[in-house]
Amino acid sequence: MTSTGPTSLFARINRDVLGPPDAPQPSLIVHVGSREVPLSVEESRRALYGPQRDAALGAAVWRHAVTQARRESRDGDDTGRLLLLWLVLPGVYRNLRRILRTWQRVDRADLEMEAVLAVLAALDTADPDDPDTGVRLIKEAVNRMWAYANRVTREIPVIDLGAFAEARNATVLPEERRRPPQGWEVHITPPPQREGLYATLRFAEARPRQGDRRIGTRLPDLVFRARRHEEADLIGTLVLRPAGVRR
């Protein structure tokens, strides 16, 4: 298993199910055929993940856990749902570790929450009598964690919107800004369909060689480097105007 911090959701579930270290061990009774088998919660977990797993006993544990969780009212004490979640957790730890190793941007707390939500959502349609119901619940939790990680890693971090809005509202309107006596304004019109790759548009000016004299402006060179090839796709329109000139 992977380690869990004191504020981890998985750790909280573990504490809620097991109770304090000196508290009596919770127990349950499962039915294997016509037999009643009393188990502590630790024994029920070993029946699912231990080295000497018993398929019939494991199916009975899942059947008991799913049945009790489904019977529990929404305003109950969550004992049944907590037990079910606690039994699912060992099945998701390996993938949890893989995701955290693969993507450092993904927060562990968010992954744990996604796993719990996936199990609770799948509980509504879980069949207690299906011998594979436990595998299905674990798979739902694992798939949702990977889906969340894939989605988050594709997101682009942005600035603090509140601070940006405050700074923007405090900024002088463009038409009220003082125009520089000399210079150029750049107006870029993107294509109507924003598809494909994006990149920052940069303008570089070559360093003058020793003995060179700058006469006038280097605008012609700048415009030449900003042009596109005749056969290339249009990536946008760039317009340069002297500062202060109305559009």
Side-chain angles (χ1 to χ4, degrees):
M1 296 181 185
T2 186
S3 60
T4 54
T7 59
S8 164
L9 178 58
F10 286 3
R12 289 173 52 191
I13 294 173
N14 192 69
R15 291 195 303 268
D16 289 342
V17 171
L18 297 179
D22 56 347
Q25 179 77 194
S27 60
L28 58 148
I29 297 177
V30 301
H31 294 81
V32 182
S34 59
R35 293 186 300 121
E36 290 186 350
V37 181
L39 297 171
S40 68
V41 290
E42 291 281 11
E43 290 172 336
S44 67
R45 212 184 217 187
R46 285 196 294 270
L48 299 175
Y49 302 102
Q52 297 179 347
R53 292 187 292 270
D54 184 319
L57 183 58
V61 170
W62 283 121
R63 182 167 56 250
H64 173 89
V66 171
T67 300
Q68 295 301 315
R70 289 183 59 119
R71 287 178 179 173
E72 198 168 48
S73 61
R74 294 291 181 181
D75 55 352
D77 60 2
D78 293 328
T79 301
R81 287 189 285 269
L82 284 171
L83 174 62
L84 179 64
L85 290 168
W86 186 75
L87 293 174
V88 168
L89 296 187
V92 306
Y93 280 134
R94 178 182 299 177
N95 282 272
L96 177 65
R97 289 194 298 266
R98 286 182 58 192
I99 294 172
L100 294 175
R101 285 197 305 265
T102 304
W103 293 299
Q104 296 182 354
R105 283 180 52 193
V106 180
D107 188 70
R108 179 195 175 110
D110 293 334
L111 291 176
E112 293 184 359
M113 180 61 72
E114 291 295 322
V116 168
L117 291 176
V119 174
L120 295 178
L123 178 60
D124 292 335
T125 57
D127 182 4
D129 296 321
D130 185 350
D132 294 327
T133 188
V135 175
R136 297 180 191 278
L137 292 174
I138 294 171
K139 186 176 181 180
E140 288 290 335
V142 168
N143 287 345
R144 184 151 172 167
M145 286 195 307
W146 279 104
Y148 174 80
N150 282 314
R151 185 172 68 252
V152 167
T153 52
R154 289 197 302 268
E155 294 175 352
I156 301 175
V158 297
I159 60 175
D160 184 341
L161 295 182
F164 175 78
E166 184 178 351
R168 183 180 184 278
N169 293 336
T171 302
V172 180
L173 296 176
E175 57 270 17
E176 298 176 0
R177 296 174 185 166
R178 296 181 59 186
R179 301 290 183 178
Q182 295 179 352
W184 296 88
E185 292 181 348
V186 180
H187 302 274
I188 301 174
T189 303
Q193 295 182 349
R194 301 178 63 84
E195 299 177 353
L197 299 176
Y198 296 86
T200 303
L201 182 62
R202 297 180 180 179
F203 297 95
E205 190 174 29
R207 294 181 180 179
R209 298 176 182 176
Q210 187 173 4
D212 285 355
R213 295 182 58 189
R214 292 177 179 266
I215 301 176
T217 178
R218 298 184 62 85
L219 182 61
D221 293 337
L222 184 65
V223 173
F224 177 78
R225 289 197 296 272
R227 290 173 57 191
R228 67 187 178 98
H229 191 273
E230 295 179 355
E231 300 178 358
D233 295 333
L234 178 66
I235 61 172
T237 303
L238 183 147
V239 178
L240 293 170
R241 297 188 181 92
V245 174
R246 302 179 64 89
R247 294 190 182 186

